[in-house]
Amino acid sequence: MTDRYSRQELFKPIGKHGQQKMEAKHVLILGCGALGSANAEGLARAGIRKLTIIDRDYVEQSNLQRQQLFTEQDWLEQIPKAVAAKTRLQAINSTIKIEAYVLDASYASLEPLLKDVDLVIDATDNFDTRLMMNDLMQKLEKPWIFGSCVGSTGMSYTILPNVTPCLQCILDATPISGATCDSVGIIYPTVQMVVAHQQAEALKLLVEDFQALRTKMVTFDLWNNYYHTMNMERAKKNECPSCGENPTYRYLDYENQTKTEILCGRNTVQIRNKRHVSMVELAKRLTSVGKVKQNDFLVSVEYDSYRVVFFQDGRALIHGTNSIDAAKKIYYQLTG
């Protein structure tokens, strides 16, 4: 097995010493869709000690266009993504330890899994989970790498507690679209570009070459030939509730978490959170998904076999299912 990582070791910034450091590290990937599966494969091939994968979903046919670890058989058997990924990755590299968890990550479920983790890679599909993770990473002082992509656009940023602005600082300073893959689609090269940036930063952190870390946020649009880096130093705020001088970690509080309940006898699930959604912008985005109706109080859309109604107070009703998991999936597909 001495030749396995020889080409990686020939790269001077890594070398044999860096490879030894990498082989002692544990990385957790939150989400195993397009970004997660590609990141997981890259890290497995790089030879880290341990990889933990968390995902709540199973493989669907529409995933196969861009989620590179999965096969048609995984789709036909509805294998959970984390389980299918582990099987494939162990076939790629049997020398590393891989743990797969089929769960909807929350503060309570995620914190125990982070005890000996050296790095977290963001591959989630919604900002509710990201903001919870941002608070948790700041509290535990663990580095993580943000990544997001839709259509032909993407972005990535490396977040170091006590050093860089956190995700909350960035969201306050930089407007980010709420578009989703289900509303505007996505092309595979977009995924690969975000993963390339995330993977490069991950390798730097794992071999402890901190001086080489990129300090700017990367944004791009592959179809329209746009690439830009933004200096985010000024985005860091002393009063930030996540990374400021007196953090409150509000997204770890129960009151600020997304809540769900099945409405008795109505084949409907209600989802509530405190995240403000512009009704005008939401209605505009949803026109590409299905038939939209709007008034002064709500926006509704016909989506597949469901009817989803969004209210100004942050509630949403997903009509057509009694499954909380299915309702949350639909909700995040539509809202981002």
Side-chain angles (χ1 to χ4, degrees):
M1 302 294 289
T2 56
D3 192 51
R4 178 163 200 144
Y5 307 112
S6 61
R7 301 304 184 271
Q8 191 162 268
E9 291 172 354
L10 284 172
F11 181 63
K12 289 184 179 180
I14 294 180
K16 290 185 178 295
H17 185 58
Q19 186 64 40
Q20 289 173 354
K21 288 184 177 181
M22 197 181 308
E23 291 174 12
K25 299 297 173 60
H26 177 190
V27 180
L28 182 145
I29 298 179
L30 187 54
C32 197
L35 294 179
S37 58
N39 271 297
E41 181 172 340
L43 291 169
R45 292 185 184 278
I48 62 173
R49 175 181 65 86
K50 181 178 177 181
L51 180 63
T52 296
I53 303 168
I54 300 174
D55 194 278
R56 66 187 177 193
D57 209 352
Y58 58 87
V59 180
E60 297 184 88
Q61 187 180 30
S62 62
N63 301 150
L64 302 178
Q65 169 250 349
R66 65 195 182 283
Q67 299 180 16
Q68 66 189 53
L69 287 180
F70 309 131
T71 67
E72 290 185 351
Q73 196 62 35
D74 295 326
W75 154 53
L76 291 171
E77 296 180 13
Q78 294 188 321
I79 304 297
K81 291 181 180 180
V83 175
K86 178 179 178 178
T87 300
R88 174 64 174 157
L89 293 171
Q90 293 284 205
I92 290 172
N93 191 344
S94 61
T95 69
I96 70 172
K97 183 177 181 179
I98 301 174
E99 292 186 347
Y101 294 90
V102 183
L103 56 82
D104 189 8
S106 65
Y107 172 33
S109 64
L110 190 57
E111 187 173 28
L113 303 179
L114 288 165
K115 289 182 180 179
D116 68 337
V117 166
D118 299 290
L119 171 66
V120 173
I121 294 183
D122 165 40
T124 60
D125 61 0
N126 68 86
F127 274 92
D128 289 336
T129 303
R130 284 189 177 109
L131 289 169
M132 177 275 294
M133 184 170 65
N134 180 65
D135 275 3
L136 187 53
M137 295 300 99
Q138 296 297 320
K139 179 182 177 182
L140 300 178
E141 298 186 344
K142 291 183 181 290
W144 67 289
I145 305 173
F146 163 70
S148 178
C149 56
V150 66
S152 60
T153 66
M155 60 180 66
S156 178
Y157 186 65
T158 303
I159 299 174
L160 306 176
N162 303 318
V163 179
T164 70
C166 73
L167 182 64
Q168 185 63 62
C169 292
I170 292 170
L171 291 178
D172 289 342
T174 307
I176 294 179
S177 169
T180 71
C181 296
D182 290 84
S183 60
V184 302
I186 188 169
I187 56 174
Y188 185 55
T190 307
V191 175
Q192 292 300 301
M193 178 67 86
V194 174
V195 171
H197 285 289
Q198 288 184 301
Q199 283 281 290
E201 293 293 284
L203 291 176
K204 296 172 190 177
L205 284 165
L206 295 174
V207 303
E208 300 174 14
D209 188 0
F210 304 116
Q211 296 299 316
L213 287 170
R214 173 173 37 80
T215 60
K216 298 181 179 180
M217 172 181 274
V218 167
T219 63
F220 64 84
D221 184 333
L222 293 177
W223 204 262
N224 294 299
N225 307 306
Y226 168 86
Y227 186 94
H228 184 63
T229 59
M230 292 183 288
N231 189 334
M232 303 303 298
E233 289 182 5
R234 293 185 179 181
K236 190 171 178 60
K237 300 186 300 182
N238 291 334
E239 66 275 16
C240 176
S242 296
C243 71
E245 294 177 351
N246 298 292
T248 58
Y249 310 122
R250 63 187 181 189
Y251 289 99
L252 302 184
D253 291 339
Y254 176 77
E255 287 303 315
N256 289 311
Q257 295 172 18
T258 298
K259 301 175 183 64
T260 58
E261 59 182 306
I262 299 171
L263 302 188
C264 183
R266 294 184 57 185
N267 196 31
T268 297
V269 173
Q270 176 175 268
I271 295 178
R272 293 179 292 127
N273 67 29
K274 291 188 176 182
R275 181 159 59 103
H276 173 73
V277 178
S278 166
M279 294 288 102
V280 174
E281 290 298 319
L282 182 61
K284 184 178 179 181
R285 288 206 313 270
L286 293 178
T287 54
S288 63
V289 172
K291 185 178 179 181
V292 173
K293 293 183 180 180
Q294 180 182 12
N295 59 34
D296 292 338
F297 310 99
L298 58 84
V299 172
S300 69
V301 60
E302 305 291 335
Y303 179 62
D304 290 341
S305 59
Y306 308 97
R307 183 167 62 90
V308 184
V309 182
F310 298 91
F311 297 88
Q312 286 186 329
D313 63 0
R315 289 182 302 117
L317 297 179
I318 291 82
H319 299 284
T321 182
N322 279 326
S323 167
I324 288 176
D325 288 340
K328 290 178 72 174
K329 181 177 179 180
I330 295 161
Y331 176 80
Y332 288 127
Q333 285 175 340
L334 295 178
T335 63

